[in-house]
mmCIF file with all atom_site columns, all heavy atoms in Angstrom:
data_model
loop_
_atom_site.group_PDB
_atom_site.id
_atom_site.type_symbol
_atom_site.label_atom_id
_atom_site.label_alt_id
_atom_site.label_comp_id
_atom_site.label_asym_id
_atom_site.label_entity_id
_atom_site.label_seq_id
_atom_site.pdbx_PDB_ins_code
_atom_site.Cartn_x
_atom_site.Cartn_y
_atom_site.Cartn_z
_atom_site.occupancy
_atom_site.B_iso_or_equiv
_atom_site.pdbx_formal_charge
_atom_site.auth_seq_id
_atom_site.auth_comp_id
_atom_site.auth_asym_id
_atom_site.auth_atom_id
_atom_site.pdbx_PDB_model_num
ATOM   1   N N   . HIS A 1 130 ? 17.672 51.396 20.097 1.00 0.00 ? 130 HIS A N   1
ATOM   2   C CA  . HIS A 1 130 ? 18.417 50.176 20.405 1.00 0.00 ? 130 HIS A CA  1
ATOM   3   C C   . HIS A 1 130 ? 17.793 49.378 21.559 1.00 0.00 ? 130 HIS A C   1
ATOM   4   O O   . HIS A 1 130 ? 17.755 48.138 21.515 1.00 0.00 ? 130 HIS A O   1
ATOM   5   C CB  . HIS A 1 130 ? 19.862 50.571 20.756 1.00 0.00 ? 130 HIS A CB  1
ATOM   6   C CG  . HIS A 1 130 ? 20.751 49.423 21.069 1.00 0.00 ? 130 HIS A CG  1
ATOM   7   N ND1 . HIS A 1 130 ? 21.309 48.617 20.102 1.00 0.00 ? 130 HIS A ND1 1
ATOM   8   C CD2 . HIS A 1 130 ? 21.186 48.920 22.248 1.00 0.00 ? 130 HIS A CD2 1
ATOM   9   C CE1 . HIS A 1 130 ? 22.043 47.686 20.676 1.00 0.00 ? 130 HIS A CE1 1
ATOM   10  N NE2 . HIS A 1 130 ? 21.991 47.845 21.985 1.00 0.00 ? 130 HIS A NE2 1
ATOM   11  N N   . HIS A 1 134 ? 16.321 45.476 21.792 1.00 0.00 ? 134 HIS A N   1
ATOM   12  C CA  . HIS A 1 134 ? 16.553 44.403 22.776 1.00 0.00 ? 134 HIS A CA  1
ATOM   13  C C   . HIS A 1 134 ? 15.230 43.778 23.232 1.00 0.00 ? 134 HIS A C   1
ATOM   14  O O   . HIS A 1 134 ? 15.091 42.563 23.280 1.00 0.00 ? 134 HIS A O   1
ATOM   15  C CB  . HIS A 1 134 ? 17.317 44.939 23.987 1.00 0.00 ? 134 HIS A CB  1
ATOM   16  C CG  . HIS A 1 134 ? 18.810 44.977 23.777 1.00 0.00 ? 134 HIS A CG  1
ATOM   17  N ND1 . HIS A 1 134 ? 19.533 43.852 23.478 1.00 0.00 ? 134 HIS A ND1 1
ATOM   18  C CD2 . HIS A 1 134 ? 19.702 45.996 23.840 1.00 0.00 ? 134 HIS A CD2 1
ATOM   19  C CE1 . HIS A 1 134 ? 20.821 44.176 23.359 1.00 0.00 ? 134 HIS A CE1 1
ATOM   20  N NE2 . HIS A 1 134 ? 20.951 45.472 23.572 1.00 0.00 ? 134 HIS A NE2 1
ATOM   21  N N   . SER A 1 155 ? 21.697 45.556 29.989 1.00 0.00 ? 155 SER A N   1
ATOM   22  C CA  . SER A 1 155 ? 22.790 45.410 29.026 1.00 0.00 ? 155 SER A CA  1
ATOM   23  C C   . SER A 1 155 ? 24.025 46.124 29.555 1.00 0.00 ? 155 SER A C   1
ATOM   24  O O   . SER A 1 155 ? 24.088 46.503 30.722 1.00 0.00 ? 155 SER A O   1
ATOM   25  C CB  . SER A 1 155 ? 22.356 45.975 27.673 1.00 0.00 ? 155 SER A CB  1
ATOM   26  O OG  . SER A 1 155 ? 22.330 47.375 27.742 1.00 0.00 ? 155 SER A OG  1
ATOM   27  N N   . GLY A 1 156 ? 24.994 46.318 28.677 1.00 0.00 ? 156 GLY A N   1
ATOM   28  C CA  . GLY A 1 156 ? 26.230 46.981 29.088 1.00 0.00 ? 156 GLY A CA  1
ATOM   29  C C   . GLY A 1 156 ? 26.014 48.469 29.342 1.00 0.00 ? 156 GLY A C   1
ATOM   30  O O   . GLY A 1 156 ? 26.737 49.084 30.122 1.00 0.00 ? 156 GLY A O   1
ATOM   31  N N   . GLY A 1 157 ? 25.009 49.047 28.695 1.00 0.00 ? 157 GLY A N   1
ATOM   32  C CA  . GLY A 1 157 ? 24.782 50.482 28.836 1.00 0.00 ? 157 GLY A CA  1
ATOM   33  C C   . GLY A 1 157 ? 23.481 50.842 29.530 1.00 0.00 ? 157 GLY A C   1
ATOM   34  O O   . GLY A 1 157 ? 23.271 52.002 29.886 1.00 0.00 ? 157 GLY A O   1
ATOM   35  N N   . GLY A 1 182 ? 25.454 45.310 33.227 1.00 0.00 ? 182 GLY A N   1
ATOM   36  C CA  . GLY A 1 182 ? 26.554 44.739 32.444 1.00 0.00 ? 182 GLY A CA  1
ATOM   37  C C   . GLY A 1 182 ? 27.873 45.438 32.746 1.00 0.00 ? 182 GLY A C   1
ATOM   38  O O   . GLY A 1 182 ? 28.933 44.809 32.838 1.00 0.00 ? 182 GLY A O   1
ATOM   39  N N   . PHE A 1 185 ? 29.196 44.084 35.937 1.00 0.00 ? 185 PHE A N   1
ATOM   40  C CA  . PHE A 1 185 ? 29.816 42.778 35.699 1.00 0.00 ? 185 PHE A CA  1
ATOM   41  C C   . PHE A 1 185 ? 31.218 42.958 35.092 1.00 0.00 ? 185 PHE A C   1
ATOM   42  O O   . PHE A 1 185 ? 32.183 42.329 35.526 1.00 0.00 ? 185 PHE A O   1
ATOM   43  C CB  . PHE A 1 185 ? 28.965 41.949 34.720 1.00 0.00 ? 185 PHE A CB  1
ATOM   44  C CG  . PHE A 1 185 ? 27.938 41.078 35.402 1.00 0.00 ? 185 PHE A CG  1
ATOM   45  C CD1 . PHE A 1 185 ? 26.582 41.318 35.256 1.00 0.00 ? 185 PHE A CD1 1
ATOM   46  C CD2 . PHE A 1 185 ? 28.341 40.005 36.179 1.00 0.00 ? 185 PHE A CD2 1
ATOM   47  C CE1 . PHE A 1 185 ? 25.630 40.516 35.879 1.00 0.00 ? 185 PHE A CE1 1
ATOM   48  C CE2 . PHE A 1 185 ? 27.402 39.189 36.809 1.00 0.00 ? 185 PHE A CE2 1
ATOM   49  C CZ  . PHE A 1 185 ? 26.048 39.445 36.659 1.00 0.00 ? 185 PHE A CZ  1
ATOM   50  N N   . ASP A 1 186 ? 31.316 43.834 34.087 1.00 0.00 ? 186 ASP A N   1
ATOM   51  C CA  . ASP A 1 186 ? 32.597 44.015 33.395 1.00 0.00 ? 186 ASP A CA  1
ATOM   52  C C   . ASP A 1 186 ? 33.663 44.592 34.327 1.00 0.00 ? 186 ASP A C   1
ATOM   53  O O   . ASP A 1 186 ? 34.823 44.185 34.290 1.00 0.00 ? 186 ASP A O   1
ATOM   54  C CB  . ASP A 1 186 ? 32.411 44.927 32.169 1.00 0.00 ? 186 ASP A CB  1
ATOM   55  C CG  . ASP A 1 186 ? 31.505 44.294 31.119 1.00 0.00 ? 186 ASP A CG  1
ATOM   56  O OD1 . ASP A 1 186 ? 31.342 43.060 31.159 1.00 0.00 ? 186 ASP A OD1 1
ATOM   57  O OD2 . ASP A 1 186 ? 30.966 45.027 30.274 1.00 0.00 ? 186 ASP A OD2 1
ATOM   58  N N   . GLY A 1 199 ? 31.514 40.015 31.621 1.00 0.00 ? 199 GLY A N   1
ATOM   59  C CA  . GLY A 1 199 ? 30.241 39.404 32.019 1.00 0.00 ? 199 GLY A CA  1
ATOM   60  C C   . GLY A 1 199 ? 30.118 37.921 31.705 1.00 0.00 ? 199 GLY A C   1
ATOM   61  O O   . GLY A 1 199 ? 29.898 37.104 32.610 1.00 0.00 ? 199 GLY A O   1
ATOM   62  N N   . PRO A 1 200 ? 30.278 37.535 30.431 1.00 0.00 ? 200 PRO A N   1
ATOM   63  C CA  . PRO A 1 200 ? 30.074 36.120 30.079 1.00 0.00 ? 200 PRO A CA  1
ATOM   64  C C   . PRO A 1 200 ? 31.051 35.179 30.791 1.00 0.00 ? 200 PRO A C   1
ATOM   65  O O   . PRO A 1 200 ? 30.652 34.105 31.254 1.00 0.00 ? 200 PRO A O   1
ATOM   66  C CB  . PRO A 1 200 ? 30.313 36.082 28.567 1.00 0.00 ? 200 PRO A CB  1
ATOM   67  C CG  . PRO A 1 200 ? 30.190 37.489 28.095 1.00 0.00 ? 200 PRO A CG  1
ATOM   68  C CD  . PRO A 1 200 ? 30.488 38.378 29.252 1.00 0.00 ? 200 PRO A CD  1
ATOM   69  N N   . ASP A 1 203 ? 30.308 34.881 34.512 1.00 0.00 ? 203 ASP A N   1
ATOM   70  C CA  . ASP A 1 203 ? 29.122 34.027 34.653 1.00 0.00 ? 203 ASP A CA  1
ATOM   71  C C   . ASP A 1 203 ? 29.545 32.555 34.630 1.00 0.00 ? 203 ASP A C   1
ATOM   72  O O   . ASP A 1 203 ? 29.095 31.743 35.458 1.00 0.00 ? 203 ASP A O   1
ATOM   73  C CB  . ASP A 1 203 ? 28.172 34.356 33.492 1.00 0.00 ? 203 ASP A CB  1
ATOM   74  C CG  . ASP A 1 203 ? 26.864 33.583 33.541 1.00 0.00 ? 203 ASP A CG  1
ATOM   75  O OD1 . ASP A 1 203 ? 26.454 33.181 34.642 1.00 0.00 ? 203 ASP A OD1 1
ATOM   76  O OD2 . ASP A 1 203 ? 26.250 33.400 32.467 1.00 0.00 ? 203 ASP A OD2 1
ATOM   77  N N   . GLY A 1 287 ? 18.499 42.096 26.568 1.00 0.00 ? 287 GLY A N   1
ATOM   78  C CA  . GLY A 1 287 ? 19.816 42.724 26.728 1.00 0.00 ? 287 GLY A CA  1
ATOM   79  C C   . GLY A 1 287 ? 20.892 41.695 27.023 1.00 0.00 ? 287 GLY A C   1
ATOM   80  O O   . GLY A 1 287 ? 20.601 40.555 27.413 1.00 0.00 ? 287 GLY A O   1
ATOM   81  N N   . GLY A 1 288 ? 22.133 42.087 26.863 1.00 0.00 ? 288 GLY A N   1
ATOM   82  C CA  . GLY A 1 288 ? 23.266 41.171 27.014 1.00 0.00 ? 288 GLY A CA  1
ATOM   83  C C   . GLY A 1 288 ? 23.258 40.405 28.331 1.00 0.00 ? 288 GLY A C   1
ATOM   84  O O   . GLY A 1 288 ? 23.546 39.208 28.372 1.00 0.00 ? 288 GLY A O   1
ATOM   85  N N   . VAL A 1 289 ? 22.894 41.081 29.424 1.00 0.00 ? 289 VAL A N   1
ATOM   86  C CA  . VAL A 1 289 ? 22.911 40.440 30.740 1.00 0.00 ? 289 VAL A CA  1
ATOM   87  C C   . VAL A 1 289 ? 21.825 39.354 30.842 1.00 0.00 ? 289 VAL A C   1
ATOM   88  O O   . VAL A 1 289 ? 21.911 38.450 31.676 1.00 0.00 ? 289 VAL A O   1
ATOM   89  C CB  . VAL A 1 289 ? 22.775 41.502 31.868 1.00 0.00 ? 289 VAL A CB  1
ATOM   90  C CG1 . VAL A 1 289 ? 22.744 40.872 33.242 1.00 0.00 ? 289 VAL A CG1 1
ATOM   91  C CG2 . VAL A 1 289 ? 23.928 42.501 31.783 1.00 0.00 ? 289 VAL A CG2 1
ATOM   92  N N   . SER A 1 291 ? 21.559 37.000 29.045 1.00 0.00 ? 291 SER A N   1
ATOM   93  C CA  . SER A 1 291 ? 22.137 35.681 28.744 1.00 0.00 ? 291 SER A CA  1
ATOM   94  C C   . SER A 1 291 ? 22.805 35.087 29.987 1.00 0.00 ? 291 SER A C   1
ATOM   95  O O   . SER A 1 291 ? 23.329 33.981 29.950 1.00 0.00 ? 291 SER A O   1
ATOM   96  C CB  . SER A 1 291 ? 23.106 35.740 27.561 1.00 0.00 ? 291 SER A CB  1
ATOM   97  O OG  . SER A 1 291 ? 24.005 36.783 27.726 1.00 0.00 ? 291 SER A OG  1
ATOM   98  N N   . ASN A 1 292 ? 22.770 35.822 31.097 1.00 0.00 ? 292 ASN A N   1
ATOM   99  C CA  . ASN A 1 292 ? 23.348 35.313 32.347 1.00 0.00 ? 292 ASN A CA  1
ATOM   100 C C   . ASN A 1 292 ? 22.582 34.075 32.824 1.00 0.00 ? 292 ASN A C   1
ATOM   101 O O   . ASN A 1 292 ? 21.360 34.088 32.956 1.00 0.00 ? 292 ASN A O   1
ATOM   102 C CB  . ASN A 1 292 ? 23.304 36.405 33.423 1.00 0.00 ? 292 ASN A CB  1
ATOM   103 C CG  . ASN A 1 292 ? 24.016 35.978 34.680 1.00 0.00 ? 292 ASN A CG  1
ATOM   104 O OD1 . ASN A 1 292 ? 23.430 35.344 35.550 1.00 0.00 ? 292 ASN A OD1 1
ATOM   105 N ND2 . ASN A 1 292 ? 25.282 36.293 34.761 1.00 0.00 ? 292 ASN A ND2 1
ATOM   106 N N   . CYS A 1 318 ? 20.218 37.921 22.793 1.00 0.00 ? 318 CYS A N   1
ATOM   107 C CA  . CYS A 1 318 ? 20.267 38.846 23.937 1.00 0.00 ? 318 CYS A CA  1
ATOM   108 C C   . CYS A 1 318 ? 21.313 39.920 23.691 1.00 0.00 ? 318 CYS A C   1
ATOM   109 O O   . CYS A 1 318 ? 21.085 41.105 23.936 1.00 0.00 ? 318 CYS A O   1
ATOM   110 C CB  . CYS A 1 318 ? 20.634 38.098 25.221 1.00 0.00 ? 318 CYS A CB  1
ATOM   111 S SG  . CYS A 1 318 ? 19.326 37.067 25.870 1.00 0.00 ? 318 CYS A SG  1
ATOM   112 N N   . THR A 1 319 ? 22.500 39.504 23.221 1.00 0.00 ? 319 THR A N   1
ATOM   113 C CA  . THR A 1 319 ? 23.558 40.478 22.963 1.00 0.00 ? 319 THR A CA  1
ATOM   114 C C   . THR A 1 319 ? 23.242 41.180 21.634 1.00 0.00 ? 319 THR A C   1
ATOM   115 O O   . THR A 1 319 ? 22.345 40.766 20.897 1.00 0.00 ? 319 THR A O   1
ATOM   116 C CB  . THR A 1 319 ? 24.936 39.784 22.931 1.00 0.00 ? 319 THR A CB  1
ATOM   117 O OG1 . THR A 1 319 ? 24.808 38.585 22.166 1.00 0.00 ? 319 THR A OG1 1
ATOM   118 C CG2 . THR A 1 319 ? 25.405 39.417 24.319 1.00 0.00 ? 319 THR A CG2 1
ATOM   119 N N   . ASP A 1 320 ? 23.995 42.246 21.347 1.00 0.00 ? 320 ASP A N   1
ATOM   120 C CA  . ASP A 1 320 ? 23.656 43.087 20.195 1.00 0.00 ? 320 ASP A CA  1
ATOM   121 C C   . ASP A 1 320 ? 23.593 42.295 18.897 1.00 0.00 ? 320 ASP A C   1
ATOM   122 O O   . ASP A 1 320 ? 24.500 41.517 18.588 1.00 0.00 ? 320 ASP A O   1
ATOM   123 C CB  . ASP A 1 320 ? 24.675 44.230 20.073 1.00 0.00 ? 320 ASP A CB  1
ATOM   124 C CG  . ASP A 1 320 ? 24.499 45.245 21.188 1.00 0.00 ? 320 ASP A CG  1
ATOM   125 O OD1 . ASP A 1 320 ? 23.493 45.155 21.920 1.00 0.00 ? 320 ASP A OD1 1
ATOM   126 O OD2 . ASP A 1 320 ? 25.364 46.127 21.310 1.00 0.00 ? 320 ASP A OD2 1
HETATM 127 O O1  . KG4 B 2 .   ? 23.271 44.190 25.090 1.00 0.00 ? 401 KG4 B O1  1
HETATM 128 P P1  . KG4 B 2 .   ? 24.727 44.134 24.952 1.00 0.00 ? 401 KG4 B P1  1
HETATM 129 O O2  . KG4 B 2 .   ? 25.318 43.152 23.972 1.00 0.00 ? 401 KG4 B O2  1
HETATM 130 O O3  . KG4 B 2 .   ? 25.306 45.528 24.574 1.00 0.00 ? 401 KG4 B O3  1
HETATM 131 C C1  . KG4 B 2 .   ? 24.806 46.735 25.051 1.00 0.00 ? 401 KG4 B C1  1
HETATM 132 O O4  . KG4 B 2 .   ? 23.817 47.236 24.457 1.00 0.00 ? 401 KG4 B O4  1
HETATM 133 O O5  . KG4 B 2 .   ? 25.368 47.185 26.059 1.00 0.00 ? 401 KG4 B O5  1
HETATM 134 O O6  . KG4 B 2 .   ? 25.290 43.855 26.410 1.00 0.00 ? 401 KG4 B O6  1
HETATM 135 C C2  . KG4 B 2 .   ? 26.639 43.664 26.661 1.00 0.00 ? 401 KG4 B C2  1
HETATM 136 C C3  . KG4 B 2 .   ? 26.827 43.505 28.144 1.00 0.00 ? 401 KG4 B C3  1
HETATM 137 C C4  . KG4 B 2 .   ? 28.276 43.455 28.582 1.00 0.00 ? 401 KG4 B C4  1
HETATM 138 O O7  . KG4 B 2 .   ? 28.429 44.290 29.699 1.00 0.00 ? 401 KG4 B O7  1
HETATM 139 C C5  . KG4 B 2 .   ? 28.488 42.003 28.940 1.00 0.00 ? 401 KG4 B C5  1
HETATM 140 O O8  . KG4 B 2 .   ? 29.466 41.805 29.916 1.00 0.00 ? 401 KG4 B O8  1
HETATM 141 C C6  . KG4 B 2 .   ? 27.121 41.617 29.448 1.00 0.00 ? 401 KG4 B C6  1
HETATM 142 O O9  . KG4 B 2 .   ? 26.217 42.265 28.575 1.00 0.00 ? 401 KG4 B O9  1
HETATM 143 N N1  . KG4 B 2 .   ? 26.916 40.163 29.400 1.00 0.00 ? 401 KG4 B N1  1
HETATM 144 C C7  . KG4 B 2 .   ? 26.756 39.403 30.501 1.00 0.00 ? 401 KG4 B C7  1
HETATM 145 C C8  . KG4 B 2 .   ? 26.626 38.062 30.051 1.00 0.00 ? 401 KG4 B C8  1
HETATM 146 N N2  . KG4 B 2 .   ? 26.715 38.071 28.681 1.00 0.00 ? 401 KG4 B N2  1
HETATM 147 C C9  . KG4 B 2 .   ? 26.880 39.373 28.311 1.00 0.00 ? 401 KG4 B C9  1
HETATM 148 N N3  . KG4 B 2 .   ? 26.690 39.721 31.799 1.00 0.00 ? 401 KG4 B N3  1
HETATM 149 C C10 . KG4 B 2 .   ? 26.510 38.723 32.682 1.00 0.00 ? 401 KG4 B C10 1
HETATM 150 N N4  . KG4 B 2 .   ? 26.398 37.417 32.324 1.00 0.00 ? 401 KG4 B N4  1
HETATM 151 C C11 . KG4 B 2 .   ? 26.448 37.049 31.027 1.00 0.00 ? 401 KG4 B C11 1
HETATM 152 N N5  . KG4 B 2 .   ? 26.336 35.767 30.682 1.00 0.00 ? 401 KG4 B N5  1
#
Side-chain angles (χ1 to χ4, degrees):
H130 181 78
H134 276 301
S155 73
F185 269 113
D186 295 340
D203 182 26
V289 178
S291 49
N292 186 273
C318 287
T319 44
D320 289 350

